[in-house]
Each structure stands twice: as structure tokens, then as C-alpha cells.
Amino acid sequence: MTTVMQAVHDYSRGQQPTLLTSTKRPAVRDSANDPSDLDGSYQAHIGLIFAQGDLAQMEKIAHQVRIDKSRLSGGVWKLFGFYEGVSNPPAGDHSTDAEWSAHIDDLKKWIAAYPGSATARIALAQAYIQYAWFARGSGYSNSVANSSWELFGQRIALAKATLIEAAHLKEKCPYWYEAMLIVALAEGWDKEQARELFDQATAFDSTYYHYYREYANFLLPKWHGEEGETQALAEEISSRLPDPDGSIVYFEIASLLACQCDKDRDSLDGMSWPKVKQGYAELIRLYGTSNLKANRFAYMSFLAGDRASAQSAFSTIGTDWNHVVWRSAANFYSARSWATSP
């Protein structure tokens, strides 16, 4: 851990911190004219370029989205979408072990072709992380076999080692800290170390909102936190960041609490519903919305008992419900019926 924490501190050395100094934001392209700017479509677009072996184009895109901080509709950073698109085999969750091995080999070939590329190494690290969760599965910890836990630990260790390698490169990328935050959750780091990592990440770039979601996730009681810690983080960050960013981050953390993929844990307890609504309104104003964000807000409105807000969100969604948010069509249509009933 001494080596890891040294890398955490050294990673931003010589970098000028990115601070929120104005209300100007990157423009969101018209999704009707550019379908690849939609959340999901963009990831598929990146995955296709990688599958075609166009590594020069991959390098160019990664460099560009790091520089311009561009976003997809709904506010997701394209940089986040880029790594999502390249870190999984084409078959995604339905991939076989053979497909995962082939995909990791292809990422290693990228590193060989571009040894100075931080993008290639971080993509490999994120692939190891995804491959680790592939071994573990999505069930409760007591349902995971010992052999799966062993594979999980080995692959997370590979991810961490790859990130340490990437830390020595001249090229730096905000996603490095996000990947390390995921490693911290997977390994169950000490809370002080996790907070130190989070603080270094936000000092590197306070505008990259995905850091706040990753650390808020770490603090959930189902992982390594106690009741109320995620809510306290939301209050801390929303008061620290100027609006509209503070409000948007508050919404993002609330959506994490409300959508835990477990109806027994999903909750908005301890969160201000007016502040959640304000954050979502600011998100739409600046970046528009996406199917995922609209589904999350509809579900949150349902949990909050806000029929008017739910009606508006369901109007946006139509019948395009998100399985991760609702888990079943019955849940979706039951909530929609409640929202639209007289």
C-alpha cells in the first residue's frame, strides 16, 4: 500500500488542477444528428473502432475527449464512455472466458504498439477490473464460491499493478483515479486511504463528477461505509462545489442511493428531495437527459411519492424502461400506473 499511495500522490504532480471557475460548459451535440453521442451508442461506437484494430483513431479520440471534457447527452463524460466501450469484449456481460482472454490480449497489443500510451494501460486495467467482476458475479458475497473470490482478487491485483505502471508514464488521464477508486472498493481499503485517494482525485480534476459517484458507492453500508455516510458526502460536496455542479453532483449521489439494484436497500432517506429535483433540472438544462438518467429520476420520483415529477419522467421514457433501474417490467408498469392514475 505504501507504493500504491505514493503513486496516488505522485500522479498529479506537475499537473495544473482543473477547477470550476466559470459557468461555461462543453456543448452537447444534437443527438438527432449524431446518434453516437447517445449514452450506450457511444460506447458501442468506441468498441467497434477498437475491434477494427484502428489504434491510431483510439489514441486520437481519447486525447480529444480528455482535452475538451465533452459529454454525452445526460452529462456522462465521453472519457468515461470511452473506457466503458473498450474495457469489455463485444459480447459484454455474455462474453465467455475465451472472449475475455482474447480481448485482454488485444489490449496488450495496443500497449506494445503505443508503449507511452496511458490510455492503453488504463484500458487494460479497467478490463482486468471488469474481468474480476465477471468471475465474482453480481450476487451477495455469501453466494460467491471460494474459487471465484480467488480469481476476483488475482484480477484486481493485475488491474492495480497495471495502474501503477501507467502512473510512471508522462501522459496523465483523469480516469486513472476512477479506476483506482474501483480497486479501492474491490479490495476494501482502509477508510482513511480511500478518502485520501478521493481527495487526490478531486484535486486533480474537481469537474470530473464520476469520482463523486465512485467514492459515494464506497461509503454505502453494503460496501465499506456506515448508515448516513453517503448522505453526508452529498451534503459536503454540494456545499463545496459551486452551482450548478454542486446540485448536479447531489442528484448523482442521490441516484446512487436510490438505485442500488436491491429494492430492500433503495432509498432516499437523508436526502433533500427538492435538492435532488434541482440537480436533475440543472442536468437537463446543461446536457439534456438520457434514457438511463430519465429512468433513474422516474424511479426516484416514485420512491419520493412525487406523482407530478414521476409523470413528467415517464412521459420522457415512454415504454423504454431500463432493466438495471427497474429490474422487471412489472415494477416499471406498476410505478407508471401509479404516476398516471387520477
Side-chain angles (χ1 to χ4, degrees):
M1 281 304 299
T2 301
T3 301
V4 174
M5 296 311 294
Q6 188 65 50
V8 166
H9 280 272
D10 289 348
Y11 195 76
S12 61
R13 185 170 293 172
Q15 294 290 115
Q16 186 68 30
T18 303
L19 302 174
L20 296 165
T21 57
S22 76
T23 57
K24 184 178 180 181
R25 294 294 181 276
V28 177
R29 294 181 185 175
D30 184 350
S31 299
N33 296 327
D34 190 354
S36 67
D37 266 10
L38 293 172
D39 194 12
S41 297
Y42 181 77
Q43 287 86 328
H45 173 67
I46 295 300
L48 179 60
I49 294 172
F50 181 70
Q52 292 171 340
D54 193 346
L55 300 180
Q57 181 69 357
M58 294 291 288
E59 288 287 326
K60 180 180 178 181
I61 293 172
H63 177 75
Q64 186 61 44
V65 298
R66 266 198 297 269
I67 295 299
D68 64 23
K69 300 178 181 290
S70 49
R71 309 239 192 160
L72 300 169
S73 295
V76 171
W77 277 52
K78 283 190 176 181
L79 184 65
F80 178 90
F82 178 92
Y83 284 107
E84 275 201 328
V86 74
S87 60
N88 292 285
D93 293 340
H94 304 291
S95 302
T96 64
D97 267 306
E99 288 169 329
W100 267 109
S101 294
H103 185 68
I104 287 171
D105 285 344
D106 287 341
L107 289 168
K108 290 179 178 178
K109 291 174 185 175
W110 184 3
I111 292 174
Y114 291 85
S117 170
T119 309
R121 277 184 169 78
I122 294 170
L124 177 61
Q126 184 61 23
Y128 281 135
I129 290 170
Q130 299 290 79
Y131 196 26
W133 286 101
F134 172 80
R136 182 199 180 283
S138 58
Y140 290 111
S141 59
N142 60 8
S143 69
V144 181
N146 289 337
S147 58
S148 296
W149 277 124
E150 185 175 354
L151 285 173
F152 180 78
Q154 290 171 356
R155 292 167 185 174
I156 291 296
L158 286 170
K160 184 167 63 176
T162 305
L163 288 172
I164 297 301
E165 291 175 7
H168 297 300
L169 300 175
K170 182 178 179 180
E171 184 180 51
K172 304 300 180 184
C173 177
Y175 199 90
W176 187 90
Y177 279 110
E178 173 153 16
M180 194 62 86
L181 280 162
I182 302 172
V183 168
L185 180 141
E187 293 189 332
W189 287 15
D190 178 271
K191 278 187 180 180
E192 290 185 5
Q193 293 169 332
R195 178 69 198 215
E196 195 173 343
L197 169 60
F198 170 69
D199 287 342
Q200 289 294 314
T202 55
F204 182 78
D205 192 339
S206 64
T207 69
Y208 188 75
Y209 84 84
H210 298 279
Y211 294 149
Y212 304 104
R213 278 184 61 90
E214 293 295 353
Y215 185 57
N217 191 41
F218 179 95
L219 292 177
L220 288 174
K222 70 177 182 179
W223 295 117
H224 310 297
E226 304 294 334
E227 290 290 345
E229 285 190 293
T230 297
Q231 292 90 333
L233 178 70
E235 291 293 339
E236 174 197 340
I237 301 305
S238 66
S239 62
R240 191 170 83 195
L241 292 179
D243 275 334
D245 297 87
S247 295
I248 292 173
V249 168
Y250 192 91
F251 161 76
E252 291 291 350
I253 293 177
S255 72
L256 182 73
L257 276 163
C259 305
Q260 298 187 48
C261 303
D262 184 339
K263 64 181 179 61
D264 293 329
R265 289 194 174 114
D266 293 350
S267 172
L268 286 170
D269 288 350
M271 301 296 287
S272 165
W273 180 239
K275 289 178 68 172
V276 172
K277 291 200 294 181
Q278 179 188 349
Y280 186 60
E282 293 286 9
L283 181 78
I284 293 175
R285 181 177 68 83
L286 288 170
Y287 308 113
T289 191
S290 65
N291 176 265
L292 175 61
K293 298 288 177 77
N295 270 275
R296 282 177 177 167
F297 186 68
Y299 184 53
M300 294 161 76
S301 299
F302 173 68
L303 290 179
D306 186 340
R307 186 175 268 110
S309 294
Q311 284 177 351
S312 177
F314 280 113
S315 176
T316 300
I317 296 166
T319 58
D320 193 8
W321 62 279
N322 185 283
H323 183 269
V324 173
V325 174
W326 297 100
R327 296 179 289 276
S328 74
N331 289 337
F332 171 77
Y333 285 108
S334 175
R336 193 179 75 160
S337 178
W338 166 81
T340 56
S341 62

